[in-house]
Amino acid sequence: MPGPRRRSALVARLTGPRAGRSQAAILDDLRTCILDGDAPPGSPIPVDAVAAAFGVSRIPVREALMTLIGEGLVDHRPNLGYRVAKLTAEEFGEIYLVREALETAAMRVAIGQAGGEDDERAAAAHAVLEAAVRAGDGRAYHRESRRFHLALIRPCRMRRLLHMLGTAWNMTEPLQPMTHLGPADRELLHRDHAAMLAAFTARDADALIAACTAHHRRLQSYIALLPRDTGLFADSGGSVSI
């Protein structure tokens, strides 16, 4: 006898007036729900319920989900339907290595092209991140950390590189890794951020890359310790653990 159906966290998020949304808006809303961590890895995405929430047929919902499959944010399995994608722990670590390589390349260019306005944006992002650390708000820390990193790399103005970095970053967002860290770990990562900001505003490229490298090494060590029994990771055999 089948067990009770699991309620979709994603559908629960889709509240409020959404009827008549365009195809692009449906895609944006679904992507935002996933990236914000409101539908953790493995969450079911029932097409009929999503279509009802938007007041549309199944067709635009399926088209949006196919796009999200291409972005690595959604999986589709026979007899299981659509679900927020899971990564294996190994894949998760690999994506962080890709992020480090892309971010380092962007920073090397960005620091040579940055100006006073970029310094102000980076300092403002760091201040908001500081507030999240002091408040002990893991979700805010996770969100603002990305904004801070983006403030340091955006001056590179390398559109394709930034797109690749954003795609890689998005694939790790559903798990919200920074929310699984303790306050002491987030404090150490924030010290790295302070060193990165100081090097950026001083236009010291070598110091910036060194601080960024140390930061990513720390991230990798924390990622390796993330609990594997939460149901958020896929198993290493390639099948999705639910």
Side-chain angles (χ1 to χ4, degrees):
M1 180 177 178
R5 294 186 66 184
R6 182 178 172 187
R7 185 169 183 267
S8 171
L10 186 144
V11 172
R13 163 74 185 268
L14 296 175
T15 58
R18 294 178 183 271
R21 302 277 279 175
S22 68
Q23 168 70 34
I26 291 171
L27 174 60
D28 286 344
D29 282 0
L30 292 176
R31 184 189 291 116
T32 298
C33 287
I34 294 171
L35 295 182
D36 284 352
D38 293 308
S43 296
I45 309 175
V47 175
D48 287 337
V50 173
F54 283 108
V56 298
S57 72
R58 296 163 59 96
I59 294 174
V61 174
R62 287 184 181 276
E63 290 176 350
L65 292 174
M66 290 302 296
T67 298
L68 294 174
I69 288 173
E71 295 176 7
L73 295 177
V74 169
D75 280 333
H76 182 262
R77 300 296 174 90
N79 303 319
L80 292 178
Y82 296 93
R83 295 177 182 269
V84 177
K86 287 186 175 184
L87 298 169
T88 67
E90 293 77 13
E91 289 170 336
F92 200 80
E94 288 170 7
I95 291 174
Y96 266 81
L97 289 175
V98 171
R99 280 174 43 178
E100 178 185 0
L102 293 173
E103 187 171 345
T104 300
M107 280 187 179
R108 287 188 184 279
V109 177
I111 197 169
Q113 299 184 165
E117 291 185 358
D118 298 306
D119 293 342
E120 292 174 3
R121 291 191 190 97
H126 187 267
V128 175
L129 184 55
E130 173 87 16
V133 173
R134 299 298 164 234
D137 188 336
R139 289 198 66 168
Y141 178 86
H142 183 91
R143 180 181 64 250
E144 300 306 331
S145 176
R146 179 170 183 169
R147 291 181 181 174
F148 171 73
H149 281 257
L150 182 59
L152 297 184
I153 64 176
R154 184 176 283 152
C156 77
R157 302 181 184 87
M158 300 170 72
R159 182 172 57 86
R160 293 187 183 276
L161 189 154
L162 292 173
H163 175 73
M164 288 188 290
L165 179 57
T167 298
W169 202 308
N170 284 352
M171 292 176 70
T172 65
E173 287 293 82
L175 195 140
Q176 298 278 297
M178 296 301 100
T179 66
H180 297 279
L181 302 182
D185 294 333
R186 288 197 290 267
E187 179 66 40
L188 288 174
L189 289 171
H190 191 54
R191 292 181 189 177
D192 295 339
H193 291 146
M196 293 162 67
L197 177 62
F200 180 81
T201 56
R203 302 293 183 266
D204 188 335
D206 290 340
L208 176 60
I209 298 306
C212 181
T213 299
H215 181 66
H216 277 278
R217 293 295 175 268
R218 197 187 305 278
L219 280 173
Q220 286 283 353
S221 70
Y222 291 160
I223 290 166
L225 297 176
L226 288 176
R228 303 297 190 258
D229 58 353
T230 60
L232 298 176
F233 286 108
D235 65 43
S236 297
S239 61
V240 177
S241 57
I242 299 170

